[in-house]
Amino acid sequence: MNASVEAVSTRPWIPLEEYELTRSDHRCQKQSEEISESVRRQVEEDNAKCRADPARAERRRQAFENVAKLMQSFKKADHEIMRWRVRLYCGHIIETEAHYTYTDPISSGSYGRRCSECGEDRQTIVAFEPIGLRCEPPEATEPPPPPPPKKPTRADLERRVKTLEKENERLRAKLSG
């Protein structure tokens, strides 16, 4: 488990407004900043390579387009989205969301956020509390009809024909005898 997840998820509940940063919070924020800087450098290097190679730039554009389409296909219904109040490292409290199956916003991959109050990037989440689902789940409706039976295979049909032929012979013999 990620250290920041452990640090936050094992703490007793403290009102977000009264929360005080711990050494673990400072360490997690520093680690997040170092990771962000490393990623920024990698992106700059890749951008330079793409400027030098139009074919590479086109492949990257296509890959991003494919990822965007894939992400759009994963849209979840409002009743599946849990809302959270989170306190960021900078001290501001904002709202975030995650799928309801996650027990906290950090385990969903949201270790940090851009703060909408001060504009600082990659502010780690140091504390959180659930607000609730975006909306109530819809009332249960009738269960969907069962799927239609699968089509029999050729072998299934041949076995059935043999069975019916035997039954036909038996009935003919019974009528004539």
Side-chain angles (χ1 to χ4, degrees), residues 2-46:
N2 182 301
S4 63
V5 174
E6 285 180 25
V8 174
S9 58
T10 59
R11 290 190 188 123
W13 186 80
I14 300 169
L16 298 183
E17 292 77 11
E18 298 172 20
Y19 182 82
E20 294 191 22
L21 295 174
T22 65
R23 282 188 293 194
S24 175
D25 295 330
H26 295 295
R27 187 174 51 254
C28 290
Q29 179 64 26
K30 184 175 190 252
Q31 186 178 39
S32 175
E33 289 170 2
E34 289 169 353
I35 291 169
S36 292
E37 180 58 26
S38 174
V39 168
R40 186 192 61 73
R41 282 193 307 271
Q42 289 175 354
V43 168
E44 283 179 3
E45 289 173 15
D46 190 55

Side-chain angles (χ1 to χ4, degrees), residues 15-21 25-26 29 85-94 113 115-118 120 123-127:
L16 298 183
E17 292 77 11
E18 298 172 20
Y19 182 82
E20 294 191 22
L21 295 174
D25 295 330
H26 295 295
Q29 179 64 26
R85 282 183 74 221
V86 298
R87 183 180 179 106
L88 300 176
Y89 180 80
C90 61
H92 293 114
I93 297 172
I94 64 170
R113 286 274 190 250
C115 179
S116 55
E117 298 284 322
C118 64
E120 290 292 322
Q123 295 295 299
T124 55
I125 295 172
V126 296

Side-chain angles (χ1 to χ4, degrees), residues 17-117:
E17 292 77 11
E18 298 172 20
Y19 182 82
E20 294 191 22
L21 295 174
T22 65
R23 282 188 293 194
S24 175
D25 295 330
H26 295 295
R27 187 174 51 254
C28 290
Q29 179 64 26
K30 184 175 190 252
Q31 186 178 39
S32 175
E33 289 170 2
E34 289 169 353
I35 291 169
S36 292
E37 180 58 26
S38 174
V39 168
R40 186 192 61 73
R41 282 193 307 271
Q42 289 175 354
V43 168
E44 283 179 3
E45 289 173 15
D46 190 55
N47 284 342
K49 290 176 183 175
C50 285
R51 283 191 295 273
D53 181 0
R56 179 186 181 113
E58 178 56 26
R59 286 191 307 273
R60 182 171 78 167
R61 187 197 63 73
Q62 187 61 49
F64 283 142
E65 207 171 274
N66 292 342
V67 167
K69 286 177 188 173
L70 182 64
M71 290 176 71
Q72 288 297 318
S73 72
F74 294 138
K75 289 281 186 193
K76 299 294 180 196
D78 282 348
H79 66 275
E80 296 178 322
I81 305 299
M82 175 62 85
R83 295 172 33 234
W84 298 87
R85 282 183 74 221
V86 298
R87 183 180 179 106
L88 300 176
Y89 180 80
C90 61
H92 293 114
I93 297 172
I94 64 170
E95 281 189 27
T96 190
E97 298 177 336
H99 195 262
Y100 76 96
T101 55
Y102 292 105
T103 57
D104 58 67
I106 295 172
S107 61
S108 71
S110 297
Y111 303 109
R113 286 274 190 250
R114 177 180 179 84
C115 179
S116 55
E117 298 284 322

